[in-house]
Amino acid sequence: MAIEYQCEKCRDLGYTLQEDKEGYTQAVPCECIKKRHIKEKLERCGLTDSFKKKTFLNFKTDTEHQKQAKLRAMSYCKKFKEEKGSFLLTGKPGTGKTHLGIAMMMQLVNQNVGCRYAEYVSLIMKLKQCCMDPINYNKEIDQYKNCTVLFVDDLLKGQTSEADRKYIYEIINYRYMTEKPIIVSTEKSLDELMNYDAAITSRIIEMCRENIIEFKNVPNMRITKGV
């Protein structure tokens, strides 16, 4: 029975044997090692396999607004290690907010920046489930407080309560005070965010500064393009 290898080039050894200019044989790291490390990093980020396909390369730019949003997101990633800023994406469903946020995470991971993805509703649910157990609660919330970059997707999605406000404020305020970058996507407008909680919103706006994208007059791509 033939053995099936994940990498036929190195036969899963992690290296290939090559001769140098002097004719000596040496072990050279295989390309699959880098790919494997990137895959492991993405899995630690909390991304599903379907989300890993959302890159800058396949982000649709049907409108000028989307083109400019993509350019600003790519510029953010390029300058990240020097500026370490935050990024806010607002707009109606299907305008590409999550795709662009994931693409930014993917690029940062390729730049060896640790990232963590957190879908808002799921984040709140996990914290509620362990809120009566201080040890597990601190362990859970620490993932969102202390990662290098946190992407909160669909902030304030669905019904929100006072308890929800407490949880998200604790995370945002901690990252604000310790100058840890965040990427945030939300269907709420800036006015709606301010009406919900000015303390949370003002911190996010101050952290993001010029990196605020409001998707206006952009069609729902899930309906028009089937994505």
Side-chain angles (χ1 to χ4, degrees):
M1 179 184 244
I3 299 175
E4 293 185 3
Y5 298 103
Q6 291 184 350
C7 179
E8 290 294 336
K9 187 175 181 180
C10 71
R11 297 189 176 187
D12 297 343
L13 292 173
Y15 63 88
T16 59
L17 298 177
Q18 299 179 16
E19 284 191 3
D20 59 20
K21 294 180 180 179
E22 285 73 33
Y24 293 102
T25 301
Q26 58 182 348
V28 178
C30 183
E31 294 176 357
C32 71
I33 292 294
K34 182 179 180 180
K35 292 179 181 178
R36 196 181 306 162
H37 287 170
I38 291 175
K39 182 180 179 182
E40 290 172 354
K41 287 179 183 178
L42 290 175
E43 289 174 350
R44 288 197 296 269
C45 288
L47 294 178
T48 63
D49 287 337
S50 61
F51 275 10
K52 295 171 188 175
K53 300 175 184 177
K54 297 181 182 296
T55 65
F56 283 132
L57 188 63
N58 57 23
F59 179 75
K60 296 183 182 298
T61 53
D62 296 333
T63 69
E64 184 61 29
H65 191 83
Q66 289 168 310
K67 291 178 184 177
Q68 292 303 315
K70 178 179 177 179
L71 288 173
R72 286 174 66 180
M74 292 175 70
S75 176
Y76 165 84
C77 293
K78 185 177 180 180
K79 299 176 182 178
F80 179 82
K81 289 193 174 180
E82 290 74 37
E83 300 182 359
K84 293 183 173 58
S86 297
F87 211 101
L88 174 62
L89 301 149
T90 77
K92 294 181 178 179
T95 50
K97 304 182 302 297
T98 294
H99 188 142
L100 201 55
I102 294 296
M104 293 163 70
M105 275 188 64
M106 298 278 282
Q107 182 60 41
L108 291 175
V109 168
N110 286 334
Q111 296 171 197
N112 293 316
V113 177
C115 298
R116 181 75 187 177
Y117 173 82
E119 191 272 325
Y120 173 75
V121 173
S122 178
L123 180 157
I124 295 297
M125 186 180 301
K126 288 177 181 178
L127 291 175
K128 283 182 175 179
Q129 289 173 344
C130 62
C131 66
M132 303 304 292
D133 183 339
I135 294 176
N136 285 331
Y137 177 81
N138 289 331
K139 182 178 179 180
E140 181 67 32
I141 201 168
D142 186 67
Q143 298 179 64
Y144 313 116
K145 282 183 173 182
N146 287 306
C147 56
T148 304
V149 178
L150 173 66
F151 176 21
V152 180
D153 192 17
D154 270 334
L155 178 68
L156 304 187
K157 181 80 172 181
Q159 298 294 323
T160 59
S161 66
E162 282 300 314
D164 300 345
R165 189 194 307 254
K166 180 191 72 172
Y167 296 131
I168 198 64
Y169 176 81
E170 183 177 351
I171 294 168
I172 297 299
N173 185 59
Y174 181 87
R175 298 190 69 86
Y176 171 79
M177 296 298 293
T178 55
E179 298 184 337
K180 293 182 180 294
I182 57 170
I183 299 172
V184 176
S185 80
T186 179
E187 294 174 5
K188 306 294 185 184
S189 67
L190 292 178
D191 287 340
E192 288 174 322
L193 290 172
M194 287 296 289
N195 288 335
Y196 173 75
D197 193 294
I200 293 173
T201 305
S202 61
R203 283 165 171 74
I204 293 174
I205 291 174
E206 184 178 340
M207 292 169 76
C208 298
R209 297 176 184 173
E210 71 276 8
N211 294 323
I212 298 176
I213 300 289
E214 296 183 80
F215 284 95
K216 296 180 178 179
N217 302 317
V218 177
N220 188 322
M221 294 189 292
R222 298 193 187 102
I223 297 175
T224 59
K225 297 293 183 181
V227 297

